[in-house]
Amino acid sequence: MLSQKQAEEAIVTNETEHKVGSTREEEKEQGHSIFSLKSILWHGGSVWDAWFSCASNQVAQVLLTLPCSFSQLGMLSGIIFQVFYGIIGSWTAYLISVLYIEYRTRKEKENVNFKNHVIQWFEVLDGLLGPYWKALGLAFNCTFLLFGSVIQLIACASNIYYINDKLDKRTWTYIFGACCATTVFIPSFHNYRIWSFLGLGMTTYTAWYLAVAAILHGQVENVTHTGPTKLVLYFTGATNILYTFGGHAVTVEIMHAMWKPQKFKYIYLLATLYVFTLTIPSAVAVYWAFGDMLLNHSNAFSLLPKNGFRDAAVILMLIHQFITFGFACTPLYFVWEKVIGMHDTKSICLRALARLPVVIPIWFLAIIFPFFGPINSAVGSLLVSFTVYIIPALAHMLTYRKASARQNAAERPPFFMPSWTVMYVFNAFIVVWVFVVGFGLGGWASMTNFIRQIDTFGLFAKCYQCLPPAPKVVAAPPPHAHH
């Protein structure tokens, strides 16, 4: 009986793999040879492309705020939370990939063709769990991506200011808003191949620059490492880390751009392991060198000495933030195109025009709330907690709650999960933990912190956390000038 069932399963998976594979082959054959320059730079769908997309999308400007999180959490908690949320984040990305394959397999049995259609997370939820889940997924995902894009703009302005402070940060936000609006011309995630590759190179350079520069700088005089001191700060820091490893509001779109989405399963975990080599050394080194000074400097660049290496890191981060802005915005463009009925349009220029209304509110919000660190934590606790951790875990539990669904599942539980029950328990743990610690305590802490920033700096702040203009004459203040 069992062997017959396994044989049937094997046939079904082979069929779906063959089906998915054959449609991909047709797509590949259409209009360009595999070795053309266009395909090398532009048209990616391999496992490597997905890995680069995941890794470069996971860590961008968060690198610069992690040392600040460490000063709020203390060294030990900082490292533990990174590893913990990294693993949980990889697990929920795996769940999302399983649900995507399930949805796609069911739809392809009904002969639905996804040739000119990008499948998105809310459609997966709709197909598996119905319209209420679709609405929930859509609301959280879009809001998260909207603020994710806002954060990229704020970060651009915050970073460029360290190279050129002739203009204030608000003016820089206007300029970068205009630059980032050009992402409306990039059709889909197939076309991010060269960008993801460059993006990962840039964050790798920046992370190691932070680590090496901090070690060479050495500890500042009378350095103190008091953290954790306040509950508000502790949970704000923890939530920023929750946000770091919650970069997969775009998982489904990245999977859909793959020729063989079944291979996505462990890509996110491998990407996360690489990201650990960037985030942990840089945050540890900068916190070791500057200690409690980081509590008032949410951007690590602000403490490191100004030189060619730092300027290079700032410029690379700027380019990477432009790429990440595109990453966060592209799913929003898709949703908007579907709403106004432009998603099947072939003309890139028409689609670009149709996408512009998405960029305007992002630009506006970045100018209203220019708070670099606090907004990361607020977005982490209120949006990422649901989008990335709670909804995928709950959706997986509900999709496979019936014995028949488990029997016909397109994907079995992974080899390290002995049974569906263990998987259920683990998912339930994630839902409860993230709801209580991430959303509850994290939401309280980050909103308290966020409101404090508004009271201190006001909305539309012209120059958030900028140094007063007086000490501009001094080239490099001696370390004790900070006390």
Side-chain angles (χ1 to χ4, degrees):
M1 178 65 204
L2 193 71
S3 58
Q4 187 192 348
K5 202 170 102 187
Q6 283 172 337
E8 281 170 17
E9 271 169 30
I11 292 167
V12 172
T13 39
N14 282 347
E15 274 178 14
T16 53
E17 282 193 14
H18 177 71
K19 259 190 191 168
V20 175
S22 62
T23 51
R24 300 292 190 211
E25 289 309 315
E26 286 162 30
E27 282 174 24
K28 271 163 77 175
E29 279 162 29
Q30 274 185 351
H32 65 266
S33 80
I34 302 224
F35 293 107
S36 70
L37 185 70
K38 184 180 170 185
S39 75
I40 293 171
L41 298 182
W42 189 243
H43 205 272
S46 68
V47 172
W48 279 104
D49 288 309
W51 184 82
F52 275 116
S53 290
C54 287
S56 74
N57 188 34
Q58 201 175 59
V59 159
Q61 91 305 332
V62 167
L63 263 182
L64 310 174
T65 60
L66 283 174
C68 172
S69 299
F70 268 52
S71 68
Q72 296 166 330
L73 286 163
M75 193 79 84
L76 183 66
S77 289
I79 296 170
I80 291 172
F81 269 118
Q82 277 205 34
V83 174
F84 176 68
Y85 282 132
I87 290 166
I88 287 190
S90 304
W91 174 252
T92 52
Y94 166 77
L95 295 181
I96 292 174
S97 73
V98 169
L99 294 170
Y100 168 85
I101 299 287
E102 181 70 42
Y103 169 76
R104 187 154 181 162
T105 313
R106 288 184 192 180
K107 285 290 175 204
E108 280 172 355
K109 277 180 189 160
E110 298 164 19
N111 293 322
V112 177
N113 184 4
F114 293 111
K115 195 145 207 113
N116 285 329
H117 185 92
V118 176
I119 300 176
Q120 289 187 271
W121 177 226
F122 68 91
E123 291 163 313
V124 173
L125 289 173
D126 187 25
L128 299 174
L129 296 167
Y132 289 118
W133 279 85
K134 173 186 177 176
L136 193 70
L138 199 54
F140 273 108
N141 232 20
C142 290
T143 319
F144 167 44
L145 290 167
L146 181 82
F147 278 100
S149 312
V150 170
I151 287 171
Q152 298 310 323
L153 274 188
I154 297 170
C156 283
S158 176
N159 290 348
I160 187 76
Y161 184 76
Y162 295 115
I163 289 188
N164 180 340
D165 51 12
K166 303 248 184 327
L167 298 174
D168 58 71
K169 289 182 186 176
R170 192 169 66 196
T171 312
W172 280 119
T173 311
Y174 290 130
I175 295 168
F176 278 100
C179 298
C180 288
T182 55
T183 55
V184 295
F185 289 104
I186 300 178
S188 81
F189 281 95
H190 277 301
N191 316 113
Y192 271 100
R193 168 175 275 186
I194 188 75
W195 294 119
S196 314
F197 178 72
L198 290 173
L200 195 59
M202 293 166 191
T203 38
T204 304
Y205 170 84
T206 305
W208 287 108
Y209 156 74
L210 288 173
V212 173
I215 291 164
L216 292 178
H217 179 282
Q219 289 188 311
V220 292
E221 219 175 303
N222 307 326
V223 69
T224 49
H225 298 87
T226 50
T229 49
K230 292 196 183 95
L231 273 180
V232 170
L233 293 178
Y234 187 81
F235 287 110
T236 305
T239 313
N240 190 36
I241 293 180
L242 172 107
Y243 171 76
T244 309
F245 295 98
H248 41 285
V250 291
T251 309
V252 173
E253 288 85 356
I254 292 173
M255 278 185 78
H256 190 85
M258 287 176 76
W259 293 314
K260 290 217 169 103
Q262 292 85 349
K263 291 186 172 173
F264 184 85
K265 286 182 242 177
Y266 301 114
I267 288 177
Y268 202 88
L269 178 64
L270 297 172
T272 302
L273 293 176
Y274 179 74
V275 166
F276 282 155
T277 68
L278 306 182
T279 55
I280 295 177
S282 61
V284 166
V286 177
Y287 178 50
W288 167 82
F290 296 101
D292 292 345
M293 286 170 64
L294 283 157
L295 288 168
N296 302 319
H297 293 84
S298 45
N299 188 331
F301 281 149
S302 60
L303 290 172
L304 290 162
K306 189 174 165 68
N307 56 27
F309 293 111
R310 190 185 83 166
D311 289 356
V314 172
I315 289 164
L316 290 178
M317 274 319 257
L318 284 172
I319 303 169
H320 188 233
Q321 271 146 2
F322 171 76
I323 298 166
T324 314
F325 181 90
F327 256 104
C329 252
T330 302
L332 287 176
Y333 296 151
F334 292 157
V335 173
W336 178 245
E337 287 168 1
K338 287 170 188 173
V339 169
I340 58 172
M342 293 280 281
H343 191 57
D344 301 337
T345 312
K346 283 279 196 290
S347 154
I348 289 188
C349 292
L350 258 177
R351 280 175 74 176
L353 257 177
R355 288 168 166 193
L356 271 177
V358 177
V359 183
I360 309 296
I362 293 172
W363 208 356
F364 189 62
L365 284 165
I367 292 161
I368 300 181
F369 300 116
F371 314 124
F372 185 60
I375 198 169
N376 277 10
S377 298
V379 168
S381 60
L382 305 178
L383 300 170
V384 177
S385 55
F386 280 94
T387 308
V388 169
Y389 300 95
I390 295 175
I391 292 176
L394 272 179
H396 189 274
M397 290 162 79
L398 288 172
T399 302
Y400 297 110
R401 66 187 182 281
K402 293 197 180 97
S404 58
R406 293 195 289 275
Q407 226 161 3
N408 304 320
E411 291 277 342
R412 296 255 150 263
F415 65 91
F416 51 85
M417 285 277 166
S419 68
W420 285 97
T421 317
V422 178
M423 215 161 159
Y424 245 72
V425 171
F426 190 57
N427 286 345
F429 162 75
I430 292 177
V431 171
V432 173
W433 173 274
V434 175
F435 187 75
V436 174
V437 177
F439 175 69
L441 295 168
W444 159 75
S446 54
M447 283 321 286
T448 309
N449 193 14
F450 193 70
I451 291 162
R452 191 178 298 154
Q453 302 293 326
I454 293 178
D455 291 344
T456 313
F457 294 97
L459 298 175
F460 296 101
K462 201 164 183 178
C463 217
Y464 172 68
Q465 281 192 352
C466 297
L467 293 168
K472 264 190 187 169
V473 201
V474 192
H480 62 258
H482 290 292
H483 294 284

